[in-house]
Amino acid sequence: MLDSSPNAVVAFDRDQSVLVWNAAAERLFGWSAEEMLGRRAPIVPEELTAEHHAVLERVRTGEQVSLRTKRVRGDGELLDVRVDISALLTGSAVAGYVCVYHLVRMDDAAKNRMARRARLVRRLTDVVGDINAELDLPAVLERITASLTELTGADAGGFVLIDGERVRLVSTYQLPRTLQDSTADLHSSLVGKLLRTGKTVMLESQELDGLVWAELKGLHTIALGLAAVGGRPYGALYALFAKRKPGHLELELLELLAGHAGIAVGNAVAYQDAVRQRAYERAVFDASADGIAVLDDEGRVLRWNPAAVELTAVPAETVIGQKPPFPLPAPGEKLTFQLDTGRWLDVVSAQIEETGELVVDFRDVTAAKELEEAKDLFLATTSHELRTPITIVRGFASTLDTRWDKLSDAERRSAVHTIAERSRSLGQLMDHLLLGARAGAEEQAVRDEPFDLAERVHAATLGLPVLSDEHRVEVSIGAGLPPVRGDALATDIVLGQLLENAFKYSPKGGLIRVAAWPENGGVTVVVDDEGVGIAPSDRERVFERFVQVDSGDRRRFGGVGLGLYIVRSLARAQGGEVSAHPRPDGGTRMKLVLRSASFIGSDTPMR
């Protein structure tokens, strides 16, 4: 132990004859043990003899003394040393003294090392704070590799990302940019070795051939430390040395920086994930067709998405900080509410337990409400439309059954005629219901073949003038009207319904005018009446199922609201279209457009 001590150890008895003179004492003072054992060591300068005796006296009385002083080498050189002196005891008696010497400059070197270490640790703290203040991941990696060279004295650095079974160089400092994004197999890389050993990896110059890092001129040493995120290896920090040799302090700083790098990268990744998640949430929030509002714990609006503005006609800047313009249901329940604008909303809400905030979702159910009302009206109307002819048929049939012999031949014929007419009405009603159901299921099957539209128009209007004394029928079709493509039977139904509506909605009579002409590669048919007309806002709604929009008493014209719905379905199934327009002098113009059989672009497939 004495021979291995780095400090000079000298023991002497009370007469100051040397008892121990170890190898470090030989190196420090220049005399061998053989020369010194059993004699006084001439190492105390004459001018310090009094000091030396005073110190020994203090030690003899039980003190331990440490002092900086001078001692003489064998070659006469005066050494600046620090000596620690204690008593050599035999039992409780002082048998001599033990002196441990080391050069003062070694203390200074140690102090300098400690001071440098303290400075580097303080700088590491500053660097870590600087890195953690940055939340952009590429910028974080750039700062880490730049700080690496400052702290460890490395000549270059890099950060390698673990990407599955590969490693990828994502950040470099003092290295050619061409190395950026270089990849290698994880298991055969230095990172793989680091993962297997769990210790800082160092490679000396003879092991560097063939590595991408050899781009650094004069490279002789590589050291790397592992950076972990969330307890899992994320990457590694490389320190490359070309001019100086790294020591324990540099490696320790590398490991510390790598550990802090993992924390900084984790923060940046978490921040980016949070930003990305917020962006996703914002995109969903802004793009949602439903109105979405977030309310604070007092029910005031914090967020109000674009759909909410559209549905309520209340701008975000108006409602933020205020109560929403509709009542709120209890969380988990649904409330249907009508706004002052007439729009119906279904409103649901959910509580955010962590914040006490309320998320409210609301959607427009006006169409569903109107459809529900229309269906209710349809059922009531259908019941009425069915009950009336059935009642009449039942009454006349019962009369014929019970009073056949008492009725004249004319009365019997009149009763049978009435039964036949009402049965025809029932058949038409059932046809409308069946066609309406098929159209709703998009099951309209029509033919696609040429036919003479002029012939179908004349057939549909034949005999109409005698049906009403108050109406006049006029047909205007120019010579040479081209044939059209489609289904002749479906077109008969369309024309018949348009003409029936023209008569029905002209209760005071007037002119019913039917005209047809070629137009824009197709053929246009119009049916004009001088009736009650259709309001501009209802010119599309009349083609919906179960809708009747006539003014005044909705039921005064009868019907179940399926006629025009069927007309449009049959027209579109043939590749055509039907629409409603105002007539300049009052009334309505219904316009039917079909494909011309002679037009090159007429091969639109049937639906």
Side-chain angles (χ1 to χ4, degrees):
M1 292 173 61
L2 286 172
D3 287 342
S4 300
S5 172
N7 295 321
V9 179
V10 177
F12 46 88
D13 59 19
R14 295 187 63 172
D15 295 329
Q16 299 187 34
S17 296
V18 174
L19 302 173
V20 174
W21 188 271
N22 73 343
E26 291 181 339
R27 292 191 298 272
L28 179 62
F29 294 113
W31 284 292
S32 67
E34 288 80 3
E35 292 175 298
M36 288 293 106
L37 290 176
R39 59 183 289 247
R40 283 194 174 198
I43 60 176
V44 178
E46 184 176 348
E47 65 271 18
L48 295 178
T49 302
E51 175 194 76
H52 177 62
H53 289 299
V55 169
L56 293 182
E57 183 61 25
R58 289 168 56 192
V59 170
R60 188 182 65 79
T61 58
E63 290 188 45
Q64 289 184 337
V65 177
S66 178
L67 77 157
R68 179 172 175 174
T69 187
K70 305 286 186 180
R71 290 294 182 265
V72 181
R73 274 180 54 88
D75 57 6
E77 179 185 355
L78 200 61
L79 301 177
D80 192 3
V81 298
R82 175 166 293 281
V83 57
D84 299 315
I85 306 174
S86 58
L88 176 64
L89 299 176
T90 302
S92 59
V94 176
Y97 309 91
V98 177
C99 300
V100 179
Y101 297 92
H102 56 272
L103 293 172
V104 168
R105 68 170 179 268
M106 296 176 61
D107 284 345
D108 293 340
K111 288 179 180 178
N112 290 336
R113 285 195 300 271
M114 294 302 295
R116 178 171 177 264
R117 180 186 181 90
R119 287 195 303 272
L120 288 174
V121 169
R122 285 195 298 270
R123 181 57 188 148
L124 175 63
T125 302
D126 294 339
V127 166
V128 168
D130 186 48
I131 292 172
N132 285 331
E134 181 63 64
L135 293 174
D136 178 63
L137 183 57
V140 167
L141 296 176
E142 290 291 338
R143 291 195 179 192
I144 289 171
T145 51
S147 301
L148 169 68
T149 59
E150 177 187 357
L151 290 172
T152 65
D155 299 288
F159 192 91
V160 171
L161 176 70
I162 299 173
D163 189 5
E165 296 299 312
R166 308 283 293 176
V167 290
R168 179 164 57 90
L169 181 58
V170 294
S171 178
T172 61
Y173 185 75
Q174 301 294 350
L175 287 171
R177 281 290 177 182
T178 54
L179 296 183
Q180 194 88 2
D181 292 324
S182 299
T183 64
D185 177 69
L186 170 64
H187 298 289
S188 60
S189 69
L190 297 181
V191 181
K193 182 177 180 181
L194 175 61
L195 292 174
R196 289 190 295 273
T197 62
K199 299 179 180 179
T200 299
V201 174
M202 286 189 62
L203 287 182
E204 302 297 336
S205 56
Q206 65 271 20
E207 302 177 78
L208 303 180
D209 294 340
L211 293 181
V212 68
W213 309 104
E215 291 282 340
L216 180 63
K217 186 177 180 180
L219 176 68
H220 59 72
T221 303
I222 296 177
L224 66 156
L226 183 66
V229 174
R232 301 186 63 180
Y234 181 84
L237 193 58
Y238 278 70
L240 311 175
F241 296 88
K243 297 177 182 177
R244 61 186 300 270
K245 180 77 172 179
H248 294 293
L249 179 58
E250 286 76 14
L251 297 181
E252 182 180 350
L253 286 169
L254 172 63
E255 288 187 342
L256 288 173
L257 183 60
H260 286 291
I263 296 173
V265 169
N267 291 340
V269 169
Y271 176 76
Q272 289 190 341
D273 288 345
V275 169
R276 190 180 299 110
Q277 183 64 32
R278 283 197 296 269
Y280 291 157
E281 292 172 357
R282 170 60 68 180
V284 172
F285 184 80
D286 289 344
S288 173
D290 284 6
I292 301 176
V294 180
L295 313 183
D296 63 18
D297 54 2
E298 296 184 3
R300 294 177 301 225
V301 175
L302 299 174
R303 298 178 66 187
W304 191 253
N305 76 336
V309 176
E310 173 68 23
L311 292 174
T312 64
V314 179
E317 57 269 19
T318 300
V319 76
I320 295 295
Q322 306 296 323
K323 301 286 186 178
F326 46 76
L328 298 175
E333 298 181 4
K334 182 174 75 172
L335 172 69
T336 302
F337 178 78
Q338 188 176 28
L339 298 171
D340 293 339
T341 59
R343 177 170 276 164
W344 287 91
L345 300 178
D346 268 357
V347 186
V348 296
S349 66
Q351 189 87 29
I352 303 177
E353 297 295 338
E354 293 79 4
T355 64
E357 296 172 334
L358 194 69
V359 177
V360 181
D361 182 281
F362 47 98
R363 62 182 56 180
D364 187 356
V365 293
T366 305
K369 267 285 188 182
E370 290 178 349
L371 181 60
E372 182 181 345
E373 292 176 358
K375 285 182 178 179
D376 291 341
L377 180 60
F378 164 74
L379 292 174
T381 302
T382 304
S383 300
H384 172 77
E385 296 289 335
L386 288 170
R387 185 183 298 112
T388 300
I390 288 174
T391 300
I392 294 173
V393 168
R394 182 188 298 159
F396 276 93
S398 177
T399 299
L400 290 174
D401 181 44
T402 58
R403 301 183 59 198
W404 177 271
D405 295 333
K406 297 178 181 179
L407 296 175
S408 65
D409 186 58
E411 289 174 331
R412 286 195 293 267
R413 286 181 180 277
S414 176
V416 171
H417 178 74
T418 300
I419 291 173
E421 284 296 315
R422 295 301 179 177
S423 297
R424 183 182 64 81
S425 297
L426 279 172
Q428 287 181 335
L429 177 60
M430 298 310 296
D431 286 342
H432 276 193
L433 293 175
L434 180 59
L435 284 170
R438 288 179 177 175
E442 298 183 352
E443 294 178 356
Q444 294 286 13
V446 296
R447 297 181 180 182
D448 182 20
E449 58 188 12
F451 67 90
D452 188 344
L453 179 60
E455 178 185 339
R456 307 320 305 167
V457 171
H458 285 298
T461 56
L462 184 64
L464 286 179
V466 301
L467 293 180
S468 171
D469 296 333
E470 298 178 343
H471 292 86
R472 292 179 297 110
V473 179
E474 178 183 300
V475 179
S476 176
I477 300 178
L481 187 70
V484 297
R485 292 189 68 88
D487 189 309
L489 180 57
T491 304
D492 284 344
I493 296 173
V494 170
L495 292 172
Q497 183 64 52
L498 294 179
L499 289 166
E500 180 183 329
N501 280 6
F503 274 83
K504 181 192 297 185
Y505 292 102
S506 303
K508 296 181 180 181
L511 175 66
I512 306 295
R513 181 176 179 271
V514 183
W517 62 85
E519 183 179 33
N520 298 328
V523 178
T524 297
V525 181
V526 296
V527 178
D528 291 342
D529 65 58
E530 298 177 342
V532 297
I534 305 173
S537 60
D538 293 328
R539 287 177 193 147
E540 275 299 309
R541 292 190 64 237
V542 295
F543 295 101
E544 298 176 7
R545 284 193 292 179
F546 317 132
V547 173
Q548 286 190 338
V549 293
D550 48 285
S551 59
D553 181 6
R554 296 184 62 181
R555 302 285 9 113
R556 66 191 175 107
F557 294 116
V560 293
L562 284 172
L564 289 180
Y565 175 73
I566 294 168
V567 163
R568 174 167 279 184
S569 297
L570 290 174
R572 288 180 173 176
Q574 298 179 78
E577 185 57 271
V578 64
S579 54
H581 306 271
R583 187 174 171 274
D585 297 327
T588 300
R589 164 170 286 190
M590 302 301 294
K591 181 178 179 181
L592 170 66
V593 179
L594 294 175
R595 297 174 300 146
S596 172
S598 59
F599 182 51
I600 295 176
S602 62
D603 293 331
T604 303
M606 296 293 94
R607 291 189 296 165

